[in-house]
Amino acid sequence: MLTTAERHGLAHGRVRPVGFNGAMAHNELPLRTACGFVLVREGAEGLEYLTLVNRKRSEPGLPKGHSDPGETEMETALRETEEETGLSDLDVRGDFRVVLKYEATRKKKTYRKHVIYFAAYAPEQAVVLSEEHASFAWLPLHETLAAMPHENLKEAIRRAALFLKDPAVCDLAPRSEAAAD
């Protein structure tokens, strides 16, 4: 329990909040940003989504990777997608952008992670995997969602699917009072 003096200091930025075990507060953890794509193509029975399987963790996911210094989010997403899949010349769709925010721990270090996903149609070219991934599949939406291990990633894919069907569906909250009319 905080004393009155500690509460006063906390309110004025003089005391750093820590957990009961002395761990850093969430906003003090280092931030790592990654960017990637929800990639689709036209299949025989509708849209198919590119799913990659990570070689080390055997975990399904989407193409993404960490930003290099000075890169924009889009530059990172395009570079990482080409490095991981061999796919370039993507047909990036609209202003779809979703951010996943969570804490992650690797090598006994905890950090905040923001993963930004864009949506794009993949070109008609073969997928060439990097060493980072063991396999890939183009799957219909329901199979893609069933394969994903994290609920926030499933939600990002759902939102991309809706956006690709009708971009207005994703803009349910007007950006301004004038846009609401």
Side-chain angles (χ1 to χ4, degrees), residues 2-181:
L2 296 175
T3 66
T4 302
E6 288 170 327
R7 281 195 305 275
H8 179 75
L10 187 60
H12 291 86
R14 292 190 291 265
V15 176
R16 292 187 182 166
V18 295
F20 292 107
N21 62 0
M24 277 194 251
H26 175 78
N27 62 352
E28 292 181 341
L29 293 172
L31 174 63
R32 295 187 186 168
T33 302
C35 304
F37 280 99
V38 176
L39 287 177
V40 298
R41 71 175 187 184
E42 292 291 341
E45 297 184 28
L47 289 182
E48 297 175 329
Y49 296 75
L50 181 62
T51 302
L52 306 177
V53 177
N54 181 283
R55 187 176 301 281
K56 289 182 185 173
R57 295 186 304 279
S58 298
E59 186 175 272
L62 303 174
K64 69 166 174 39
H66 292 102
S67 299
D68 287 341
E71 271 185 326
T72 66
E73 293 172 347
M74 184 60 69
E75 288 169 341
T76 299
L78 291 167
R79 176 184 53 77
E80 285 289 339
T81 299
E82 186 169 6
E83 287 175 8
E84 294 183 1
T85 68
L87 298 174
S88 59
D89 198 28
L90 304 178
D91 182 5
V92 179
R93 291 303 172 114
D95 60 356
F96 178 83
R97 180 181 178 274
V98 65
V99 182
L100 308 184
K101 297 179 181 183
Y102 55 93
E103 285 185 12
T105 302
R106 293 276 190 267
K107 299 179 184 177
K108 299 183 181 182
K109 295 194 186 232
T110 301
Y111 54 92
R112 291 179 299 140
K113 185 143 185 188
H114 291 181
V115 181
I116 295 104
Y117 284 107
F118 301 100
Y121 277 83
E124 293 291 326
Q125 70 186 82
V127 172
V128 179
L129 289 180
S130 68
E131 290 296 316
E132 187 177 339
H133 295 95
S135 63
F136 75 94
W138 289 100
L139 302 172
L141 180 60
H142 70 280
E143 289 181 35
T144 302
L145 294 173
M148 293 300 139
H150 306 291
E151 203 52 48
N152 61 353
L153 185 53
K154 291 178 186 185
E155 183 58 27
I157 295 167
R158 281 186 200 100
R159 290 186 60 188
L162 287 171
F163 179 85
L164 292 168
K165 185 172 181 119
D166 183 354
V169 171
C170 290
D171 197 16
L172 296 178
R175 298 174 198 267
S176 68
E177 195 171 316
D181 291 336

